[in-house]
Amino acid sequence: MKNTFGTSVCVTLFGESHGAKIGAVLDGLAPGIPVDESLIAHQLELRRPAGSISTARREQDAFEIVSGVFEGRTTGTPLTILIPNADTRSGDYTRGALRPGHADYTARVKYHGYEDFRGGGHFSGRITAALTAAGAVAIGALRGRGIRIGTHILRCAGIQDAAFTDPEAQTEELNSKVFAVLDAEKGAEMQAAIREAAKAGDSVGGVLETVVTGMPAGVGEPWFDTLESMLAHALFAIPGVKGVEFGEGFALAEKRGSEANDAFALQAGRIVTRTNRNGGINGGISNGMPLVFRCAVKPTPSIALPQDSVDAEGMKEERLTLKGRHDPAIVHRARVVADSVTALVLCDALAQRFGTDWLRGEEA
């Protein structure tokens, strides 16, 4: 099982949904990077369930950094974060009952039935808490270099949020919101639609849009490690993400070249593009404009409605009605995970381009 991502800055995830603890190891960070535990706590709070639009499982996420940090700064050795699981109800899960839309069947085939099936085990969205905590360290390192990341819920249940107009200012605003939208009225409509789906025993999906400002030009490789491919590789690891597009993405296929190209211009002595249809990347390499990409998040597969399934223990078809506590939507909780994954990928890419010490900032 491959649980590590990255080349210069690597993250490893471990643990199961109903195990004692989950956690992450960050390796390759330069020594001397400030680690703000209040930022980690804040990011975990943004991922935590909120009210009737989320699961009733309430974990406190009392994280502990057990290595790699001394006197508030990274030491340069592996940084390990542990998060206990406390609010579990393992009796809600039965061995052999394959939940449609989940990894139950594929996990059973790959691990020959030895996997921890409770709550999805290692495949559970619960593991994203560890990913969020590790990503918060990376977010802090990037902020030290003037790079900011912000994600909003562009669409949910068919309801469209407003577009970015001032990414630098709006990313800061989004990072303080539990339900990250730019238009509060549209956000209220989305939440009402989520509650309506929950009342029907169903779920809804959505689309996240991420913007990164302050990214220097020249980061990424021309072929197999393009900045797009590195980001997409990691973003597809977020449970429920089924599509990723950069800039105007698939819409570019309907345009002519004269409409799709981003014309160059000079601004305060630096080269910029007048538009940003390609999402800040040309030839797989950042061009200095804001990075823009979107992730499609499918409806939560755990629903209360009866579904056709198979009991893999008895090898017989059955009608499955799930027990347990589940999210009627995960898109609003996944957005902080998208921020974290983005930060980890960018730290890795920047370290490869400029050297690991670059992330330490001016002190390097």
Side-chain angles (χ1 to χ4, degrees):
M1 187 182 234
K2 181 77 159 37
N3 298 288
T4 300
F5 181 87
T7 300
S8 291
V9 176
C10 306
V11 60
T12 301
L13 298 177
F14 59 88
E16 291 81 31
S17 178
H18 288 214
K21 294 181 180 181
I22 59 174
V25 178
L26 263 175
D27 199 6
L29 283 175
I33 297 173
V35 175
D36 183 353
E37 294 198 18
S38 66
L39 175 59
I40 299 174
H42 173 71
Q43 296 298 99
L44 286 170
E45 180 65 30
L46 294 180
R47 196 206 71 92
R48 200 164 292 134
S52 59
I53 61 171
S54 302
T55 177
R57 180 176 177 178
R58 295 291 190 263
E59 294 285 0
Q60 296 305 306
D61 294 335
F63 69 92
E64 181 184 8
I65 300 175
V66 298
S67 69
V69 177
F70 183 65
E71 296 181 339
R73 291 180 180 262
T74 57
T75 62
T77 58
L79 190 160
T80 305
I81 302 174
L82 298 177
I83 303 175
N85 290 322
D87 188 17
T88 58
R89 294 182 187 175
S90 300
D92 290 334
Y93 300 90
T94 305
R95 183 182 292 279
L98 303 178
R99 297 171 299 164
H102 283 276
D104 295 349
Y105 173 63
T106 50
R108 185 181 179 89
V109 172
K110 183 173 179 64
Y111 300 110
H112 311 295
Y114 292 103
E115 74 285 349
D116 184 344
F117 61 88
R118 301 168 302 169
H122 189 62
F123 295 86
S124 171
R126 172 66 184 147
I127 312 303
T128 63
L131 188 54
T132 298
V137 178
I139 287 170
L142 293 175
R143 287 182 180 178
R145 297 298 320 219
I147 299 170
R148 298 288 191 276
I149 302 168
T151 299
H152 73 125
I153 306 164
L154 179 64
R155 286 196 301 280
C156 180
I159 301 162
Q160 183 93 6
D161 189 25
F164 279 107
T165 55
D166 184 357
E168 287 203 32
Q170 289 171 314
T171 53
E172 291 305 305
E173 176 189 352
L174 289 170
N175 288 329
S176 67
K177 291 184 175 182
V178 172
F179 197 86
V181 290
L182 299 171
D183 184 327
E185 289 187 9
K186 294 298 181 182
E189 290 179 27
M190 291 178 189
Q191 292 179 68
I194 295 171
R195 292 188 186 95
E196 190 65 29
K199 189 185 302 182
D202 220 329
S203 63
V204 296
V207 176
L208 297 171
E209 184 175 51
T210 301
V211 168
V212 181
T213 61
M215 187 69 182
V219 179
E221 302 297 331
W223 289 101
F224 303 112
D225 282 334
T226 69
L227 195 53
E228 292 119 322
S229 65
M230 291 174 69
L231 282 164
H233 183 168
L235 290 165
F236 273 120
I238 300 173
V241 169
K242 301 300 285 185
V244 178
E245 67 174 4
F246 292 83
E248 294 189 5
F250 281 91
L252 290 175
E254 309 304 320
K255 298 180 183 293
R256 293 189 174 187
S258 56
E259 299 170 306
N261 288 343
D262 296 308
F264 287 106
L266 288 174
Q267 185 179 86
R270 61 184 286 259
I271 297 174
V272 299
T273 58
R274 294 190 186 279
T275 54
N276 195 24
R277 299 184 181 103
N278 289 275
I281 301 173
N282 295 126
I285 300 168
S286 61
N287 64 18
M289 298 297 289
L291 303 183
V292 182
F293 55 86
R294 286 169 291 281
C295 296
V297 181
K298 72 176 184 176
T300 319
S302 293
I303 58 176
L305 300 174
Q307 301 176 83
D308 290 333
S309 186
V310 167
D311 174 0
E313 290 285 298
M315 288 302 290
K316 60 182 180 180
E317 294 183 350
E318 66 176 20
R319 287 285 280 173
L320 178 65
T321 300
L322 295 181
K323 299 178 182 178
R325 302 161 293 173
H326 308 290
D327 290 275
I330 58 173
V331 64
H332 58 293
R333 299 179 64 197
R335 64 90 180 202
V336 71
V337 185
D339 288 346
S340 292
V341 165
T342 301
L344 290 163
V345 172
L346 294 184
C347 280
D348 187 31
L350 288 159
Q352 291 181 61
R353 175 68 176 91
F354 300 117
T356 307
D357 279 348
W358 188 86
L359 290 170
R360 197 170 68 201
E362 298 304 320
E363 298 176 14

